[in-house]
Amino acid sequence: MNFEKVIDRQKTNSMKWDFVSERYGSDDLWPMWVADMDFRAPQPVLDAMQEVINHGVFGYHRRPDSLFEATASWLKKRFDWGVENNQLVYTPGVVPAISHLIQTFTEKGDGVIIQPPVYYPFYALINYNDRKLLRNPLKETEQGFAMDIEDLEKQMQEGAKMLLLCSPHNPIGRVWSQEELEQVAKLCEKYNVLVVSDEIHADLVLKGTHTPFAKLAADKGMDVDVITCMAPSKTFNLAALQLSYVVFQQEEAKKQYEEQLQRQFVGIDNPFATVAAEAAYREGEEWLEKLLDYVQDNVDFVKQYIETNIPVMNVIEPEGTYLVWIDMRELNMGASKLQSWLREEGKLALSDGHIFGNEGAGFARINVAAPRANVEEGLNRLKQAYDKL
Ligand SMILES: Cc1ncc(COP(=O)(O)O)c(C=O)c1O
């Protein structure tokens, strides 16, 4: 559990490290983009996977009840959220799960609300499925970014069928408060809007408390349809193993979704993901707590570094996720000039703000789930580019 140790990920087919050139057009850029971590997974996960290798037989595999039990007990322990095993459906990723949920519960042309700037595949999920994109941009307040509840109601009056909630929010890093979630739930109840709550970052909370939207609605006795997407992938750095799950509140909805998966022949599981997820949920908590401390230290470091060396930029301190949203609007470059400056002068491959929606123009997102030395290298490059301006 040495998060300081730099592990060379180059030439391992790592998307973050080995596909920079393909994505950014140059291979001398320092990668701070993809949301995965430069850390090894917890030791119990590695041991469990090693056992599967030692056995050496990789025939067809089904997810065992013990995985359901480990997942349910994790949700209970971390969020005091009681989920029965028969509410869960495992899926090979949150993004495909959302696509299947859109297909199952909406029709072509139906309105789906998102809250930009937001995780950019949400746009593709709605557009590729020929649904109507309804935008409810976050607003900037004195206290930071917040939901625009008035505008949300307007979008619902447009006839929205679904709200794609990002909780905690990527890239802003907000961990939504119970009050904010309750306001959303009230509107969804009033306008009969189904909430698909993407809670993939739920375990990565630095400040505040994550409340599963479905738990909040149930605790308040509200009549809101909610389907939750979660995964151990961000939490324990297991994204390549492609395991996530969807939590249903209604049996009928779960049945419809499973039928949709059957029609698309989704459902072959792999044993590495099973044992990794189970080991992570049963034995990974201590690792996670240390990770969160390390990430918070990196966030503090970024804040301090930028305040001291690049005061024209402003760090939006995340309450959750290991992603830091940096406000670069005072540089007064348009989105495309800022993008080329970051690449050509900064030699950085980070996530340009405008890809999360127009509201993100002038911002950039960096990933700080990396050894301090890696984060520092990226910041030094940013400073050098700034000093030359
Ligand atoms: C909000 C959000 N949802 C989903 C994903 C990706 O999920 P998956 O890899 O399980 O498809 C990410 C990854 O960054 C994310 O930030």
Side-chain angles (χ1 to χ4, degrees):
M1 212 179 329
N2 177 4
F3 297 114
E4 287 287 280
K5 184 167 183 256
V6 174
I7 300 169
D8 186 1
R9 294 182 68 191
Q10 291 184 68
K11 302 200 175 67
T12 63
N13 300 316
S14 146
M15 189 187 286
K16 180 177 171 188
W17 288 86
D18 292 327
F19 289 81
V20 168
S21 175
E22 192 178 300
R23 173 74 181 250
Y24 291 84
S26 173
D27 60 8
D28 58 349
L29 309 188
W30 191 251
M32 303 185 97
W33 57 304
V34 178
D36 70 13
M37 312 197 221
D38 289 339
F39 305 131
R40 275 163 74 86
Q43 193 59 42
V45 169
L46 303 178
D47 294 343
M49 292 177 77
Q50 188 62 50
E51 255 184 61
V52 176
I53 292 184
N54 292 347
H55 185 243
V57 181
F58 308 119
Y60 290 115
H61 172 81
R62 294 291 304 269
R63 304 251 182 259
D65 282 347
S66 56
L67 174 62
F68 287 93
E69 282 148 22
T71 306
S73 76
W74 178 261
L75 297 177
K76 181 73 189 152
K77 189 161 36 146
R78 300 294 295 187
F79 308 112
D80 191 25
W81 188 25
V83 167
E84 297 297 323
N85 291 347
N86 63 9
Q87 288 175 260
L88 295 187
V89 178
Y90 283 93
T91 53
V94 166
V95 171
I98 296 173
S99 188
H100 295 135
L101 290 167
I102 290 174
Q103 289 159 12
T104 312
F105 297 106
T106 63
E107 305 282 335
K108 285 194 173 171
D110 281 350
V112 180
I113 303 173
I114 56 167
Q115 299 180 302
V118 74
Y119 178 57
Y120 51 89
F122 281 9
Y123 295 89
L125 283 166
I126 296 169
N127 292 332
Y128 285 161
N129 282 303
D130 296 318
R131 272 45 172 187
K132 188 171 158 203
L133 186 83
L134 296 175
R135 304 162 60 88
N136 167 228
L138 300 179
K139 59 180 186 186
E140 277 183 270
T141 71
E142 303 245 305
Q143 292 75 41
F145 284 92
M147 288 193 203
D148 186 339
I149 297 293
E150 252 176 59
D151 178 74
L152 182 60
E153 179 154 23
K154 278 195 209 131
Q155 301 309 323
M156 291 194 182
Q157 287 162 346
E158 291 283 307
K161 284 276 160 39
M162 184 183 276
L163 165 66
L164 198 43
L165 185 69
C166 193
S167 176
H169 190 95
N170 171 12
I172 300 297
R174 278 295 317 277
V175 173
W176 303 117
S177 68
Q178 294 216 11
E179 293 69 32
E180 286 168 302
L181 294 176
E182 196 177 339
Q183 284 179 299
V184 175
K186 278 188 185 145
L187 288 181
C188 293
E189 187 177 40
K190 181 169 168 192
Y191 293 97
N192 198 20
V193 171
L194 167 65
V195 180
V196 169
S197 192
D198 177 344
E199 303 188 15
I200 196 169
H201 296 281
D203 295 313
L204 298 162
V205 169
L206 305 168
K207 292 196 171 69
T209 308
H210 173 78
T211 309
F213 191 87
K215 173 180 155 61
L216 175 117
D219 287 354
K220 303 271 174 201
M222 298 171 93
D223 184 17
V224 191
D225 293 329
V226 190
I227 299 172
T228 311
C229 298
M230 285 187 161
S233 54
K234 295 283 163 208
T235 318
F236 297 105
N237 207 22
L238 309 176
L241 299 179
Q242 294 188 294
L243 181 142
S244 60
Y245 51 94
V246 181
V247 185
F248 289 89
Q249 305 307 117
Q250 286 138 352
E251 217 180 306
E252 181 52 32
K254 176 172 176 261
K255 196 165 145 258
Q256 284 173 23
Y257 180 72
E258 283 174 325
E259 282 166 6
Q260 176 72 8
L261 295 189
Q262 270 165 17
R263 277 196 290 277
Q264 309 213 16
F265 296 89
V266 176
I268 303 281
D269 307 324
N270 88 65
F272 291 104
T274 293
V275 298
E278 189 169 335
Y281 279 157
R282 289 195 196 283
E283 298 170 70
E285 196 168 27
E286 190 191 338
W287 182 94
L288 174 62
E289 293 303 338
K290 297 224 158 68
L291 170 85
L292 292 173
D293 288 345
Y294 194 81
V295 168
Q296 181 62 58
D297 285 350
N298 273 352
V299 170
D300 294 342
F301 175 73
V302 170
K303 201 168 159 47
Q304 184 70 46
Y305 187 102
I306 291 199
E307 265 170 25
T308 312
N309 299 293
I310 324 177
V312 73
M313 294 183 187
N314 183 29
V315 172
I316 314 297
E317 241 188 283
E319 297 166 336
T321 80
Y322 46 70
L323 307 164
V324 181
W325 191 233
I326 304 178
D327 185 351
M328 305 183 177
R329 286 174 297 182
E330 271 190 46
L331 289 174
N332 282 323
M333 297 182 189
S336 76
K337 185 154 178 235
L338 179 61
Q339 174 174 315
S340 13
W341 179 73
L342 289 166
R343 288 176 199 186
E344 287 155 26
E345 302 299 324
K347 296 285 172 203
L348 287 165
L350 35 66
S351 304
D352 302 300
H354 64 87
I355 64 172
F356 300 90
N358 292 338
E359 298 76 6
F363 291 81
R365 191 195 75 178
I366 62 167
N367 176 346
V368 299
R372 174 69 56 80
N374 287 4
V375 175
E376 193 167 2
E377 169 67 26
L379 293 175
N380 287 341
R381 288 176 180 225
L382 192 61
K383 175 179 170 348
Q384 272 163 26
Y386 172 70
D387 287 345
K388 279 197 265 159
L389 277 178

